[in-house]
């Protein structure tokens, strides 16, 4: 009976019902569309960063403020300083024990000057990688010309955007096979390296607005940054080698001594002349980078599809803290700034708009119901006079409010889903780099997913559950006496 | 057997800074099966007394007892329950629920309270009442599709559907033409005789006063006549 009365009242006052309902439907429709856009953008921007730059989990040095691009560094002048992950081996052991782990790869990040002598120079970000591991984990590049770096090879994969930029600014037309001189000046002094260009590439992600990193082998970048290039384990030095300590310094520069140095060994690894020069930042190429050793800034962790990163990040950090490992696990956001902040701000603005929309809807529905209570004072009084308890009056108004909000809310969801489906087919093109970042790609194809649907339904329930409170409080004050005193 | 007792009942209303004494100490006893008319000019206090008997208003002083229960000791829930179980209302303006049709308006009080389901027995009783008030061909009509007399007949059937001990009728003929008014009165008199239901009218219609077998006249909040006819 309550629902019958509620529905018939809504039909009887159909103009009012349609006005309220249209507002609810419009609000829910806009909320769903907005939520779907935001969710799709969120997935896009997350995927573009995790697939292309950071992995699902990024392990950094404890307290490190810089991501793979060096953003968020405290350095006011000069290139950002990215902390070395000193407890790399211990952190890696914890990473390897992660459930849902697909793969991992270490990475160095740093800035170097591309020096073209009299033509000029430019400053650029470099990713120092171990190509064997890196490209297994990060399938993130399209090779335009050349090939990927080979394991143990010294060389550079040049970002096409950097290539274009150099061509425009200095008329330097770099191509595969050319060599490039890289300079760096820091705490470890002035460093010079010369490496061949093995590829021109671009990142698969459209998000290349700010960062134009190129790849170099990790040994080259270590040398440029003045980081430890050798294994960190204890070295057993032979008697022949220690005998050099007592030798005449002048004799060290003789041919015999060089021959003696070539026999120095530690942990089964031969310390060659070439390796020594590499350590010192000489111009001689290092043919074999240290296997797994040396300084790294990051471990990029890839997870199996469907594995959620957040609980594993927490788990990793608990493990690091428990064992005193000076490392920190985090999501892509630290590397993704300022894009991640732009996106977060967009989400915040949208959420505020959604709250305002809900408040406006509630106020309008509330006002309309208050008018309805005033118009129906006699009816409510009559019901009370005939023996209806206050609960029945309450239920009647709740039924009316819920009917309007749920019915028209569902209409809003259906309309919203249709609009999203159309947008999915048509696609929203990113006309600018900014939009490409926000969209997480060159074209946004929003999809209706569970979260926006649940949010919209939650909003419907919120509006339906709140907007009756004040009108019902008024209705409950209606005395049965009003049945007699009101026409 | 007395069904309603009013003992030294007073009712005061605040009207701005002044207090209006609507009822100034009334003693009244109503027997089961009475067909009683409470008459008097406007402002004499007849509606106030009817409201107190109908449990929709409470006395400022004195005691009102309905079917053995002192209404002063009941809270809103208790008053509503007693109103539902013991009293039927017929209003001057009919007060039908606009969105319900004739049959639904009549059955509405049966859906209130603890036993809110319509059983076969209750359905038969509704059918009987619909026939009794002569609305067999109007069961699907909404109030706005009925004449004044037909609406009042619906109100009468609705007042009787819970088989109350008391039916209160506030100016039941005021909004009806004289012929319809007479027909309605005859119908209520017939139900009174057949079922023994107590009917209490508030009226200044002399026809209602003529047909009543117990007449109470009020003036300025006091009873000036309380007479019974054989």
């Amino acid at each position: 009976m309550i629902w019958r009365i509620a529905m018939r009242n809504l039909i009887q006052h159909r103009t009012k019902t349609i006005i309220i309902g249209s507002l609810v439907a419009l609000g829910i429709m806009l909320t769903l569309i907005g939520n779907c856009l935001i969710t799709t953008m969120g997935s896009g921007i997350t995927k573009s960063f995790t697939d292309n730059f950071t992995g699902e989990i990024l392990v950094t040095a404890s307290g490190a403020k810089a991501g793979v691009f060096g953003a968020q560094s405290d350095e006011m002048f000069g290139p950002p300083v990215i902390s070395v992950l000193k407890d790399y081996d211990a952190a890696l052991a914890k990473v390897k024990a992660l459930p849902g782990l697909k793969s991992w790869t270490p990475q160095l990040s740093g800035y170097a000057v591309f020096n073209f002598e009299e033509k000029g120079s430019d400053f650029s970000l470099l990713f120092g990688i171990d190509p064997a591991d890196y490209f297994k984990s990060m399938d993130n590049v399209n090779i335009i010309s050349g090939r990927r770096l080979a394991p143990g090879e010294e060389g550079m994969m040049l970002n096409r955007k950097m290539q274009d930029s150099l061509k425009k600014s200095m008329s330097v037309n770099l191509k595969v096979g050319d060599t490039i001189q890289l300079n760096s000046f820091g705490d470890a002094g002035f460093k010079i390296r010369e490496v061949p260009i093995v590829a021109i590439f671009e990142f698969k992600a459209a998000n290349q607005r700010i960062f134009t990193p190129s790849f170099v082998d990790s040994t080259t970048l270590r040398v440029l940054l003045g980081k430890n290039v050798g294994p960190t384990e204890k070295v057993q030095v032979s008697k022949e080698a220690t005998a050099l300590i007592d030798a005449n310094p002048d004799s060290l520069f003789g041919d015999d001594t060089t021959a003696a140095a070539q026999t120095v060994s530690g942990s089964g690894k031969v310390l060659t002349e070439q390796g020594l020069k590499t350590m010192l930042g000489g111009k001689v190429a290092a043919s074999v980078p240290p296997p797994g050793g040396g300084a790294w800034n990051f471990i990029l962790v890839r997870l199996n599809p469907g594995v959620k990163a957040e609980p594993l990040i927490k788990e990793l950090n608990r493990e690091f803290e428990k064992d005193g490992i000076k490392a920190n696990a985090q999501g892509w956001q630290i590397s993704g700034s300022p894009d991640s902040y732009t996106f977060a701000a967009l989400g915040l603005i949208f959420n505020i708009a959604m709250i305002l929309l809900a408040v406006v809807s509630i106020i309008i529905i509330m006002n309309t119901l208050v008018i309805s209570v005033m118009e129906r004072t006699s009816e409510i009084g009559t019901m009370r006079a005939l023996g209806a308890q206050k609960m029945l009056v309450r239920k009647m108004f709740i039924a009316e409010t819920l009917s309007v909000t749920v019915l028209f809310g569902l209409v809003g969801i259906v309309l919203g889903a249709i609009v999203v489906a159309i947008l999915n087919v048509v696609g929203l093109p990113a006309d600018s780099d900014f939009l490409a970042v926000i969209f997480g790609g060159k074209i946004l194809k929003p999809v209706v997913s569970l979260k926006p649907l649940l949010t919209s339904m939650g909003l419907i329930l919120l509006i339906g559950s709140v907007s009756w409170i004040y009108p019902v409080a008024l209705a409950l004050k209606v005395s049965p006496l009003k049945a007699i005193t009101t026409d | 057997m007395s069904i309603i007792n009013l003992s030294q009942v007073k009712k005061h209303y605040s009207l701005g800074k002044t207090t209006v004494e609507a009822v100034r100490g009334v003693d009244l006893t109503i027997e089961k099966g009475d067909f009683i008319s409470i008459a008097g000019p406007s402002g004499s206090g007849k509606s106030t007394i009817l409201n107190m008997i109908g449990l929709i208003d409470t006395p400022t002083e004195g005691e009102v007892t309905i079917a053995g229960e002192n209404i002063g000791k009941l809270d809103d829930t208790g008053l509503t329950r007693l109103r539902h179980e013991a009293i039927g209302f017929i209003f001057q303006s009919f007060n039908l629920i606009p969105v319900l049709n004739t049959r639904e308006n009549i059955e509405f009080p049966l859906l209130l309270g603890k036993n809110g389901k319509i059983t076969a027995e209750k359905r038969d009783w509704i059918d009987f009442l619909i026939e009794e008030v002569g609305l067999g061909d109007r069961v699907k009509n909404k109030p706005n599709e009925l004449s004044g007399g037909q609406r009042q007949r619906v109100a009468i059937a609705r007042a009787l559907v819970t088989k109350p001990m008391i039916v209160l009728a506030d100016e039941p003929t005021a909004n009806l033409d004289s012929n319809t008014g007479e027909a309605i009165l005859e119908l209520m008199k017939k139900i009174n005789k057949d079922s023994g239901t107590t009917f209490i009218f508030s009226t200044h219609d002399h026809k209602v006063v003529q047909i009543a077998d117990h007449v109470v006249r009020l003036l300025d909040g006091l009873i000036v006549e309380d007479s019974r006819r054989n």
Side-chain angles (χ1 to χ4, degrees), chain A residues 79-320:
Chain A
V81 172
I82 303 167
S83 306
V84 170
L85 181 53
K86 287 177 182 164
D87 289 349
Y88 172 80
D89 290 331
L92 183 59
K94 295 292 180 190
V95 166
K96 284 178 177 174
L98 276 181
L101 175 72
K102 184 182 169 196
S103 61
W104 56 271
T105 182
Q107 185 184 304
L108 274 167
S109 289
Y111 285 80
V113 174
F114 288 22
N115 189 353
F116 302 101
E117 307 291 344
E118 70 279 1
K119 286 188 177 174
S121 60
D122 202 353
F123 186 67
S124 182
L125 174 64
L126 297 172
F127 283 175
I129 57 165
D130 176 355
D133 281 342
Y134 187 85
F135 290 114
K136 261 189 238 166
S137 293
M138 310 296 290
D139 179 23
N140 58 353
V141 295
N142 289 325
I143 302 288
I144 297 166
S145 62
R147 55 170 175 78
R148 282 179 182 177
L149 265 173
E153 180 186 21
E154 186 181 82
M156 171 185 275
M157 290 169 64
L158 181 67
N159 192 316
R160 183 185 56 79
K161 284 216 165 185
M162 194 62 197
Q163 184 198 28
D164 292 345
S165 165
L166 294 171
K167 200 185 292 180
K168 274 185 198 164
S169 62
M170 285 174 250
S171 304
V172 174
N173 190 13
L174 288 173
K175 54 188 184 301
V176 173
D178 292 348
T179 55
I180 183 164
Q181 190 190 97
L182 304 172
N183 299 348
S184 170
F185 187 80
D187 295 341
F190 188 69
K191 306 282 181 183
I192 303 172
R193 297 287 288 175
E194 209 166 68
V195 289
I197 295 169
V198 300
I200 306 293
F201 79 98
E202 63 181 6
F203 281 104
K204 286 181 180 173
N207 181 11
Q208 297 175 62
R209 181 170 60 117
I210 297 168
F211 309 112
T212 52
S214 298
F215 291 104
V216 288
D217 61 286
S218 58
T219 306
T220 297
L221 190 55
R222 267 193 210 102
V223 169
L224 284 167
L225 299 176
K227 309 291 184 195
N228 169 28
V229 285
T232 54
E233 69 266 31
K234 200 174 177 181
V235 177
Q236 295 295 320
V237 185
S238 68
K239 280 184 181 176
E240 291 85 349
T242 53
L244 290 172
I245 296 168
D246 300 325
N248 181 348
D250 293 337
S251 66
L252 285 175
F253 297 96
D255 288 339
D256 295 344
T257 314
T258 309
Q262 282 170 341
T263 64
V264 174
S265 64
S267 301
K269 300 174 186 80
V270 175
L271 183 61
T272 62
E273 181 186 5
Q274 213 166 43
L276 191 63
K277 284 182 177 172
T278 302
M279 284 173 73
L280 295 170
K283 295 181 87 173
V284 179
S287 58
V288 183
W296 294 105
N297 297 124
F298 310 107
I299 303 172
L300 280 54
V301 181
R302 300 311 311 264
L303 300 174
N304 285 320
V307 177
K308 287 198 182 284
E310 285 77 14
L312 294 179
I313 288 171
K314 283 181 186 166
E315 175 64 24
L316 261 182
N317 284 328
R318 268 197 299 272
E319 287 291 316
F320 291 158

Side-chain angles (χ1 to χ4, degrees), chain B:
Chain B
M1 190 180 86
S2 81
I3 195 167
I4 298 163
N5 271 300
L6 275 69
S7 173
Q8 275 306 298
V9 168
K10 294 180 182 175
K11 182 69 185 180
H12 302 162
Y13 293 109
S14 291
L15 204 67
K17 288 181 179 174
T18 58
T19 302
V20 177
E21 293 181 314
V23 178
R24 299 189 293 157
V26 166
D27 291 301
L28 177 64
T29 300
I30 298 171
E31 303 291 328
K32 186 176 186 315
D34 267 4
F35 198 77
I36 176 173
S37 161
I38 300 175
S42 291
S44 61
K46 56 186 188 300
S47 288
T48 306
I49 287 177
L50 208 69
N51 291 343
M52 287 189 281
I53 294 171
L55 310 176
I56 53 178
D57 206 353
T58 50
T60 313
E61 279 179 44
E63 210 169 80
V64 177
T65 309
I66 309 286
E69 289 203 60
N70 182 350
I71 68 163
K73 293 182 178 174
L74 296 174
D75 60 6
D76 183 76
T77 306
L79 288 171
T80 307
R81 177 191 50 77
L82 185 60
R83 205 158 54 229
H84 177 245
E85 288 171 359
I87 299 168
F89 284 91
I90 299 167
F91 301 99
Q92 183 181 337
S93 303
F94 323 125
N95 290 51
L96 301 179
I97 297 170
V99 294
L100 300 180
N101 64 30
T102 296
R103 188 184 182 86
E104 289 164 341
N105 260 296
I106 294 169
E107 74 179 10
F108 180 77
L110 288 176
L111 301 167
L112 308 171
K114 285 179 184 173
N115 303 315
K117 284 184 181 171
I118 302 293
T119 59
E121 187 188 345
K122 286 178 182 174
R123 202 170 292 118
D124 290 346
W125 172 236
I126 294 166
D127 289 339
F128 171 78
L129 286 173
I130 289 170
E131 289 306 320
E132 193 74 4
V133 296
L135 291 172
D137 57 342
R138 289 280 186 271
V139 285
K140 295 284 181 192
N141 291 81
K142 298 257 177 71
N144 61 356
E145 296 162 346
L146 300 173
S147 68
Q150 286 169 330
R151 289 183 206 185
Q152 198 60 299
R153 285 163 192 269
V154 176
I156 291 168
R158 183 180 66 182
L160 293 168
V161 76
T162 55
K163 299 181 180 171
M165 289 182 279
I166 305 152
V167 170
L168 297 175
D170 182 27
E171 307 270 8
T173 56
N175 287 335
L176 302 174
D177 62 69
S178 58
N179 289 336
T180 311
E182 275 176 35
I184 291 288
L185 283 175
E186 280 168 20
L187 175 65
M188 289 195 277
K189 186 73 180 170
K190 178 178 177 294
I191 293 165
N192 167 251
K193 279 183 180 168
D194 292 350
S195 64
T197 305
T198 305
F199 275 78
I200 304 168
F201 301 91
S202 132
T203 187
H204 32 220
D205 183 345
H206 70 279
K207 284 177 192 164
V208 180
V209 177
Q210 278 175 353
I211 203 172
D213 49 31
H214 183 178
V215 176
V216 172
R217 287 185 194 278
L218 290 165
L219 187 66
D220 297 333
L222 288 170
I223 293 176
V224 293
E225 181 192 338
D226 184 354
S227 59
R228 287 179 179 277
R229 294 174 191 149
N230 292 323

Side-chain angles (χ1 to χ4, degrees), chain A residues 1-7 9 376 383 388-403 464 468 472-473 475-476, chain B residues 111-113:
Chain A
M1 176 63 87
I2 288 169
W3 285 100
R4 200 187 307 165
I5 294 173
M7 292 309 289
N9 264 319
R376 287 157 63 188
M383 287 180 175
Q389 296 286 1
K390 285 183 173 179
M391 182 56 82
L392 182 125
V393 177
R394 182 180 287 122
K395 282 180 183 172
M396 195 174 73
F397 276 92
I398 291 174
E400 284 185 26
T401 315
L402 279 180
S403 301
W468 57 263
V472 163
L476 293 182
Chain B
L111 301 167
L112 308 171

